[in-house]
Structures are given as structure tokens and as C-alpha cells.
Amino acid sequence: MLPAMPPPLFDPSRAPEGLDALFRPRSVAVVGTSAKARTIGREILSNLLECEFQGVVFPVNPHLEVCQSLRCWPTVDAIPDPVDLVVACVPAAAMPEVARQSARKGVRAMVIISAGFRETGPAGRALEDEVMAIARAASMRVVGPNCMGVINMDPAVRLNASFAAARPIEGNVAFVSQSGALGEAILSEAHDLGLGISYFVSAGNRADVSTNELLEHWEDDPRVGPILLYLESVGEARRFPEIARRVTRKKPVIVVKAGRTLAGARAARSHTGSLAGADVAIDTLLGQVGVLRVNSMEDLFAAASAFATQPLPAGSRVGIVTNSGGPGILATDACGSLGLHVPELTEETRAALAPRLPRQASLRNPVDMIASAGPEAFEAATAAVLRDANIDALLVLFITPVYIDSVAVAEAIVRACAGSPKPVLSCFMGKEGHAEAIRRLREAGIPVYQFPESPARALATMVRHRAWLERDPGSVPPLEVDAAAARAVVRAAQADGRTSLDFEEARRVAEAYGIPFARGVLASSLEEVVDAGADLGFPLVLKATAPGLGHKSDRGGVAVDLRTVDELATAWKRMKLAFAAEDGLAFVVQRMARGDREVILGMRKDEDFGPLLMFGLGGIHVEVLKDVAFRVHPITDADARDMVRSLRGHALLEGVRGKGPVPEGFIVEMLLRLDRLVQDLPDIVELDLNPVMLSERLTDCLAVDVRISLGNPST
Ligand code: ADP
Ligand code: MG
């Protein structure tokens, strides 16, 4: 009798799905594994084995029978057991065939390490499209191509499917890196800092799995604390705000965004760019959704070490304990420039410290215990300052005098901090002989930095996160609008084949959404203009309009403060002559608005982020002042208020030199109305109310100019 075939190792019908196939596979095939030293194929296989992957590993290479003591298979579909995840490091040209075999085999996910795809040009792009079509048809999820792999340090999985040289430590930090090379650096730095990671994804070309999806996957994972992103571009930007806004309420998301690529590209293609480098728009977007942007990899790690181990500070008041003056001053300065406070300590704290510190010590904040301070002094000061009611967070600075035992000091600090609900960050300056002390502190979960500015910046990032969690997200009050009227105007222009509205049409759209305008009428002949003037009453403004006319005032097309029929007639004659060549020339006779400050309210549709709302100091100098704030649609009243208050020149709106404050509530409401308008009328791609004239008196707050452009009709 023939021996029965052994049953397959796993039930093929119970394969993990979606991102679980990626992060929690039961088996992994390394396609393109190699026996040669210093090859990616070899490194991936040995990383899987060395990390003690809790599933089964199958090397695949038609030229080998055995690889690192494992039986090697010629192709994926020759493997007798189910394969959940394929990690491929074959030449790009061989990738479609690997994908086809994987699809046939029932593989659920692929990590494509290989380069030579979209990043190399049209031929590579076609190859990537081919592979992705195969993957999609077989419902296989894909990370990469052109990446360095994925890691899941869950003890139940222990998947290191990367070719990173550094050995990851298990912890709670999740990383996504768009750059493979930087991924390597990230893992090695995390290792050196003793920073434990939960997940690591080198996203590469992001042909399938996006940052958004990873954020959602980790949103409720208790093994994930801070989420760190290195981004060059915000992929799937439309959904990013909504997802980020939600996830950042649950865990800190810290981003280093390399600005150049996106900023450069966008500044070149959109008008917004001339007003606020597109990178500024990204900055405000990230701030608006609670993502913590930092400026360097160093700051990313500084913040990560703090978030990974320390509780959030309740506020921004920092206590500093040091054994030398210089570092204390540096830390104090850094705190000051970052908006953190270094307040006086309470009487009680000072009284408690006095008997335990040398006479020469300073009992103010920073507490300078002088160089002779040993473990007892550190323990006493750390404990006392941590307890101080005026303090939300503590920085302990230590610079080694040779005669002090740094390990004993580290242990004293650990003892003093045990169980504290306030964050403690430490700085050990001077490297000699510190390794052991630093190890003790890190083991106890106290982050250690080399220079005092770094922990100060990390604390500032934590305070920002606290402020985000406490910020009232605001709401949108009910607004009465006449969407049908506005839509009718837009449709009529589209039926005419036009992509911009004339002044009258644009004004009707804005008015349908409750934006008040200075009263005005359209007129053509001198007689009509004079009649209109008589109806409206002086003082008046006369404006020339025509489809081809850009900024009217640039070319003498705006005459303000006309006080008599004569002045009005003279202005008309001058403009009639000056613009004789313009097709469709007409005139707007408008009441002179009494507002004394000019602002711009606008909207631009961004290709990546959708509608961006804009508010700034306006009028004809808006491009010179460049004092504008952006927010991504949709906004709340709290967002609108932030926009107004974030202007450099905000004081002008509050009133200077005898002028009173303009009504903030009016601006907020107008921004919300605009936000609603762009939502209801998606064909509008650009809108400017420039200027809206503001004054102390609400009734004098009026728009006097508007411009609206439509996209190409969608039908
Ligand atoms: P454009 O932007 O095409 O040059 P505007 O209609 O915005 O033309 O007018 C330019 C400037 O003229 C405004 O910034 C404002 O200072 C002034 N202005 C225009 N209309 C009025 C008005 N009705 N009341 C007071 N000032 C006005
Ligand atoms: Mg204008």
C-alpha cells in the first residue's frame, strides 16, 4: 500500500486577508533568494530566520536545491504547502512571471523589493502596471515595488522580511518610510537608541498599500504607540485629512516630510504657489489634522523616544535639574524659543530642596546643583521638582565630572521617576564612560539625549500633541444658502462653453451663498452709467469689465471715490477710450464701500488635496504681503478662527491707530459660507473675493470684487 500523502501544512481556505496577509502570514516564500554573500536575496532569508519568524519559510531559486539549510524550490507554485506572502527580489523583468505564479498558487500578498519600475521611466511604469494588474485580479496586496521590505515584531509573528542590516528590537513605534535607503538608516538609529518598533514598512513606489491604509490598520492596534512617517509626497491626499484627523486623536503621528519634490512640482503648476509655497499649504494641512511635522530625522527620533516611553505633559511648564550652569541655560533658552515655560518652583519645593543640596546650589528653575552633586542630590532634586505643582515635565541634565559615578546617578534618577505621571527626559553630555548609565536609563524607559536642545524640542512636540487633543474641533452652524440659484448661473455659463464667470454672474453666485456685496449695477453707455449713479447715490466707484481684462486696477480700470456726476462721466470717458479694444466691454457702477481694511477670501482646488480655503490680508497688494492662511476643505468655525488669528498681520484686524476691531464672527461666517459653496458647486475650481472691505461696523463689511473660474465641464 502506498503511504498516504501528508496533508498540507495549513488550511488554504483560511489564509489571512488584506494587510494581515502582509503582516501576519503563516508562510513566506523568498523568491530570488541567493547563497551569495552580500546579496539582497540572501539577507532577506537570513533576516527571516534570525528574527525567528514564527511561520514557515520557503526559499525559491531554480538554481539551488538548498539555501541556508532549507530546501529550495524552483518556483512559487512548486511549493507543496500554502504560501501566504511572497517576498520578491528578482530582476524587474522577471516580476510579471513571479506574480502570475503567485496568483496561481493562491498567494495573498507580495513585498516587491526589486527596483526598475515606475521610478525609472515609461518602460518601468508599464512593467509595474502589468504586475499590479495581475496582483489586483488575484486580490494580492502589494508593498513596493522598489522598497526594502516590511517588519512586524509581534512576538507571535516576528516577521523581518527586509534586507536591513540592523536587528530590530520589539517595541511600540510604527514606521513608514517612503525612501528605502532612509529605511535602513531609520532601523539602525532605532536600534542604537534602543527604540523598540512594532511595525516597519518601506513603502517604495506605493503601487498598492498606501500610508492612509497603514494608518487605518494601526489606528486601534494596541501594539502601536507613536506612528512615524517619512514622506516625500502625501499619496491619496484626498482621504488623508479625514483619516489623519481621526487617527491623531488616538495616537501621535509624527512626520518628516521632505518638502522639495512636492513643493516644487506644485508651485510650478498652481497659482496658489505664488501666494504661499505649496509646502506651506502642506504644513497647514498637517497641522489642521493633528499630524506633528518635525524638521529633521534627528527631531523625529527625539520625539519618537519621548512619545514611545513617556506620558504626555499636562501643560507646557518645564522643570530643569542640572549639575552645571551652561547646559541649564541652553535648555532654558531652547524651551523659551519653543514656546515652553520654565517657571519658578513653589515655596514647598525650595524648602524641601534646601537642606539636601550644597549651599552654593541654585534652588530656582533650572535647579543647578553644581558639579559636586552625586546620586543623593540627583534623586532628591528630581523627585522634588517632579512633584512641584508648577511643573508639567522634567528635563534632567547631567554632565560628567570624573569623580561622580554616572551609573549611580542614572539609578538615582530612575528611582526618583518611578511611577511619575509627568514625563521625564534626560540628557547625558560627554560620551566617555556613559554607556552603562545610558543603558540603565533607557532600560527604565527614560529617553536619553546628547544635547539639551533635543529633549526640549521633543517636549515641545509633545505639548503640541496635547494641545491638539484638547483643542475644540469646532462645528459648522446651519447656514441658509440658495444652492439652486448659484447652480443655475454656473450651468448657464457652462452651456455657453465658458470656463469663467463674468463679474455679475460671479457676484450672483456669491450672493446666493450669503456673501454681501457693495451695491452696484452693470451699465454700458454714458447715459446708463450716469442713471445708475443717480440711483445708487454718491460716492461711487466705476470699474471696467471685459472677459479679457485681468486685474482691472492694473490698467486703470477702477476709479474710486467719485463724488459727482462730472467725476463719474470723466472716468467713464477715460475708460471707454483706454479699453476700446476690449471685446465685451461693460462697466460696473458700485457704491463706495466704507470699510478701511481689505482682506481676501478665496478657494483654490489643489490637485492633491482638493479645495484649499484661503484667508489673508488682501486688496491689490496681496501678492506682496503674502500674509495668507490656508485650510483644507471641509473646515469648522474653529478652523476659520485659527485662519484669521494665524495671520502675521492679525493685529491690523484687531484694530490699530484709532481703528477698532473688525468683526471676527463675520469673517468666520464668510469662510464657512465659502466652504459650503465649494462643496455644493464642485465645478468651481478657483474663487477669489478680493477685496472684502472690512470695518468696525458689520454693515460696512462688504465684498467689492469677485472672480470665479470653472473647471472643464465634467460631462
Ligand atoms: P481689481 O482687483 O480687478 O484690480 P477691484 O474691484 O478689486 O479690481 O478694485 C481694486 C481696488 O479698488 C480694491 O482693492 C479697493 O481698494 C478699491 N475698490 C474697488 N471697489 C471698491 C468699492 N466699491 N469701495 C471701495 N473701494 C473699492
Ligand atoms: Mg480685486
Side-chain angles (χ1 to χ4, degrees), residues 518 541 543 550-554 558 560 590-593 598 619-620 690-691 693 704-705 707:
V541 178
K543 303 181 188 186
H551 290 293
K552 300 175 282 294
S553 50
D554 283 354
V558 178
V560 298
Q590 203 175 50
R591 290 272 304 180
M592 183 76 189
E598 302 193 14
I620 53 176
N690 186 26
M693 312 288 293
V704 301
D705 189 20
R707 218 175 288 272

Side-chain angles (χ1 to χ4, degrees), residues 40-80:
I40 288 176
R42 191 196 139 81
E43 284 310 306
I44 291 173
L45 185 60
S46 45
N47 274 350
L48 278 165
L49 301 179
E50 198 175 308
C51 195
E52 297 186 20
F53 175 51
Q54 298 296 294
V56 182
V57 179
F58 304 107
V60 176
N61 181 331
H63 309 295
L64 298 174
E65 278 170 354
V66 174
C67 196
Q68 295 185 46
S69 319
L70 295 174
R71 174 165 182 187
C72 201
W73 303 89
T75 59
V76 177
D77 47 2
I79 299 169

Side-chain angles (χ1 to χ4, degrees), residues 124-423:
R125 176 185 295 256
L127 203 57
E128 186 171 313
D129 290 345
E130 186 184 352
V131 172
M132 288 311 302
I134 299 165
R136 258 191 295 274
S139 306
M140 287 189 288
R141 302 309 311 268
V142 174
V143 166
N146 184 26
C147 75
M148 65 170 297
V150 303
I151 296 174
N152 175 8
M153 291 303 288
D154 184 341
V157 182
R158 299 195 61 90
L159 174 78
N160 180 356
S162 81
F163 59 90
R167 302 284 156 264
I169 306 168
E170 195 214 330
N172 66 356
V173 179
F175 258 114
V176 183
S177 175
Q178 202 178 333
S179 149
L182 216 57
E184 176 77 59
I186 285 170
L187 288 172
S188 111
E189 182 68 11
H191 183 267
D192 291 351
L193 289 176
L195 193 63
I197 64 169
S198 47
Y199 293 94
F200 171 86
V201 176
S202 162
N205 293 3
R206 294 190 296 199
D208 173 24
V209 174
S210 65
T211 314
N212 285 344
E213 203 180 351
L214 292 169
L215 285 175
E216 288 193 296
H217 191 69
W218 293 334
E219 179 176 354
D220 296 310
D221 187 333
R223 290 182 44 250
V224 175
I227 300 174
L228 275 53
L229 311 174
Y230 167 82
L231 294 180
E232 283 158 9
S233 62
V234 180
E236 273 188 65
R238 281 307 165 92
R239 285 196 60 225
F240 179 75
E242 168 210 330
I243 294 171
R245 208 181 247 129
R246 209 178 58 231
V247 176
T248 51
R249 296 234 158 240
K250 300 183 183 171
K251 31 195 78 168
V253 178
I254 315 166
V255 170
V256 176
K257 201 199 134 294
R260 266 198 4 244
T261 322
L262 194 58
R266 284 156 37 107
R269 71 168 187 254
S270 89
H271 185 72
T272 322
S274 75
L275 273 178
D279 200 43
V280 174
I282 292 188
D283 230 13
T284 51
L285 163 74
L286 295 176
Q288 188 186 341
V289 299
V291 171
L292 305 162
R293 186 179 190 175
V294 295
N295 290 324
S296 64
M297 292 305 288
E298 195 184 334
D299 284 351
L300 183 73
F301 277 102
S305 321
F307 277 109
T309 54
Q310 296 298 306
L312 274 187
S316 59
R317 302 166 307 167
V318 183
I320 300 172
V321 169
T322 177
N323 65 346
S324 68
I329 297 168
L330 284 178
T332 309
D333 280 353
C335 286
S337 69
L338 292 161
L340 302 173
H341 303 102
V342 182
E344 288 296 337
L345 302 173
T346 60
E347 269 313 317
E348 296 95 291
T349 306
R350 274 185 282 177
L353 281 175
R356 315 199 51 181
L357 299 183
R359 241 179 347 101
Q360 303 92 321
S362 159
L363 301 183
R364 309 170 67 97
N365 192 10
V367 176
D368 180 359
M369 305 181 290
I370 70 169
S372 58
E376 303 79 29
F378 265 95
E379 186 166 354
T382 301
V385 176
L386 257 183
R387 266 198 307 272
D388 191 297
N390 287 351
I391 295 301
D392 302 311
L394 177 66
L395 290 184
V396 189
L397 314 175
F398 177 74
I399 182 151
T400 20
V402 278
Y403 48 88
I404 301 289
D405 176 357
S406 65
V407 175
V409 167
E411 284 173 342
I413 295 171
V414 169
R415 273 196 305 277
C417 298
S420 165
K422 299 177 186 177

